[in-house]
Amino acid sequence: YDGNRSEFGEVLVGRLYQPHRCCNEIRNFVYYLLMHEPPDSPEDNLHKFKSFQHNNPSFDAGKRPFWIERSNVTSFIALVRHNTSTLQEDSLFFKKPGESAVLIYDPNTIEPQEQSEVRRICDTQGWKFRPKTEVVGTEFSIVIIYGFKEFHFEAFTRAVNRLIIVTTLSTQGKLTRALNDLKNGRHVERVCES
């Protein structure tokens, strides 16, 4: 904390010396999503509480956030098994010794049976398995976001070096639309301005 304080309504905002634990690639991506996923209601003002001016950049991890679209949980598990069977450092889910990995899921969007299947693959891979409500204040080298319909700032910012987002046909929503817009180069200027 650098001692500078400012008030925003009834909220006191402090600024940390090191504004991010995330690499630049994740930080830039998360702030893009924060600004481009339109709020459902006037109460969704998280972007007003976040600083978008960062004098001190974070570090470069060399890996951009990655989005995977799968038809269902079985397809996702097959991808993980295939990808991790090679044990090559350039594989998507490769975890170096000493790195931590977590799959963060939204318990409101995936059924208990699907949660059970995803938990099993996490156990097999040595990943933690946590609902989005239990990850505030923690960080992991690798974060896999699974089954989110909407952007959740706290879950996405748990990643330090690598962020992987997995959506399925049953979890398409505002997040999928925002990711598709980014992928296809569509930019809605009025959303940014608001």
Side-chain angles (χ1 to χ4, degrees):
Y1 174 70
D2 67 6
N4 294 326
R5 293 180 180 212
S6 63
E7 281 195 43
F8 185 87
E10 297 179 15
V11 176
L12 187 62
V13 179
R15 184 168 173 220
L16 301 173
Y17 283 120
Q18 178 71 22
H20 295 285
R21 75 188 145 275
C22 307
C23 65
N24 286 320
E25 295 89 347
I26 293 171
R27 180 179 59 88
N28 293 335
F29 176 71
V30 165
Y31 277 95
Y32 181 91
L33 284 179
L34 182 63
M35 294 302 295
H36 290 84
E37 186 182 88
D40 284 332
S41 67
E43 293 82 39
D44 292 342
N45 290 320
L46 180 61
H47 66 279
K48 291 182 180 178
F49 294 100
K50 299 296 178 186
S51 170
F52 290 87
Q53 297 179 8
H54 305 289
N55 298 333
N56 299 326
S58 190
F59 62 96
D60 288 324
K63 294 187 181 208
R64 292 185 178 156
F66 198 85
W67 175 34
I68 300 170
E69 293 179 281
R70 301 308 287 181
S71 57
N72 55 34
V73 67
T74 305
S75 172
F76 168 66
I77 290 169
L79 174 69
V80 170
R81 286 188 177 135
H82 173 75
N83 195 267
T84 56
S85 66
T86 64
L87 296 177
Q88 301 210 4
E89 285 193 42
D90 62 343
S91 69
L92 183 61
F93 298 107
F94 181 77
K95 185 176 77 142
K96 294 177 185 172
E99 283 188 322
S100 57
V102 65
L103 184 140
I104 303 172
Y105 68 97
D106 185 344
N108 298 318
T109 62
I110 61 174
E111 298 295 322
Q113 175 61 33
E114 187 174 352
Q115 288 179 31
S116 177
E117 292 176 54
V118 173
R119 178 188 295 275
R120 276 195 296 280
I121 195 69
C122 289
D123 290 345
T124 302
Q125 298 302 318
W127 304 338
K128 303 248 186 259
F129 177 75
R130 298 287 184 270
K132 69 181 185 180
T133 54
E134 293 182 12
V135 294
V136 175
T138 60
E139 60 187 47
F140 301 88
S141 303
I142 303 164
V143 169
I144 303 160
I145 301 289
Y146 183 88
F148 282 38
K149 288 186 177 182
E150 297 178 346
F151 174 68
H152 188 266
F153 186 85
E154 288 300 323
F156 278 66
T157 58
R158 302 302 97 202
V160 175
N161 296 312
R162 194 170 343 147
L163 177 64
I164 302 164
I165 302 144
V166 180
T167 56
T168 63
L169 293 176
S170 65
T171 60
Q172 291 184 351
K174 283 182 7 176
L175 177 60
T176 302
R177 284 191 298 279
L179 292 169
N180 268 318
D181 286 348
L182 177 60
K183 177 178 151 185
N184 296 319
R186 285 191 298 266
H187 186 256
V188 183
E189 198 65 39
R190 64 177 173 75
V191 173
C192 281
E193 290 170 0
S194 70

